[in-house]
């Protein structure tokens, strides 16, 4: 549902931009740049539509992933100091855990 709303927003912005570009060409350099930007916008919308509506539907569901409400299996990760920290250790000290992955410096 959200994908279709995003597509309608893109289409509405494209139409408004074209009317502005061709309506006042002396301000927006409309005849040439308006056409170029319209083609670029249409290509972006087509690519976005293809990725969201087709490509992402082809990704298979993860069989081994925990479901909503299911407890994650215990695992160990390195903290910012390089020491191993386990999920069980964190859960024993608090009610919940949020794990954030970031690329860091590597």
């Amino acid at each position: 549902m959200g994908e279709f709303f995003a597509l309608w927003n893109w289409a509405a912005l494209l139409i408004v931009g074209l009317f502005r570009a061709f309506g006042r060409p002396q301000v927006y350099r409309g005849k040439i740049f308006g056409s170029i930007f319209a083609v670029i916008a249409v290509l972006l919308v087509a690519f976005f539509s293809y990725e969201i509506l087709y490509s992402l539907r082809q990704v298979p569901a993860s069989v081994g992933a925990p479901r909503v409400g299911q407890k994650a299996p215990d695992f160990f990760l390195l903290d910012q100091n390089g020491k191993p920290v386990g999920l069980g250790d964190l859960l024993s000290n608090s009610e919940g855990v949020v794990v954030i992955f970031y690329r860091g410096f590597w």
Side-chain angles (χ1 to χ4, degrees), residues 10-23:
W10 276 71
L13 289 174
L14 176 63
I15 291 169
V16 169
L18 284 174
F19 275 113
R20 290 182 86 180
F22 285 103

Side-chain angles (χ1 to χ4, degrees), residues 1 9-10 20-21 30 43 49 54 61 63 70 73 77 81 93 106:
M1 179 76 178
N9 283 341
W10 276 71
R20 290 182 86 180
L43 290 175
S49 302
Y54 179 73
V63 179
Q70 183 181 4
L77 296 173
N81 299 322
N93 296 333
W106 45 272

Side-chain angles (χ1 to χ4, degrees), residues 17-39:
L18 284 174
F19 275 113
R20 290 182 86 180
F22 285 103
R24 294 188 284 169
Q26 68 279 4
V27 176
Y28 294 105
R29 312 267 192 253
K31 302 282 184 190
I32 296 172
F33 287 121
S35 300
I36 292 170
F37 289 141
V39 169

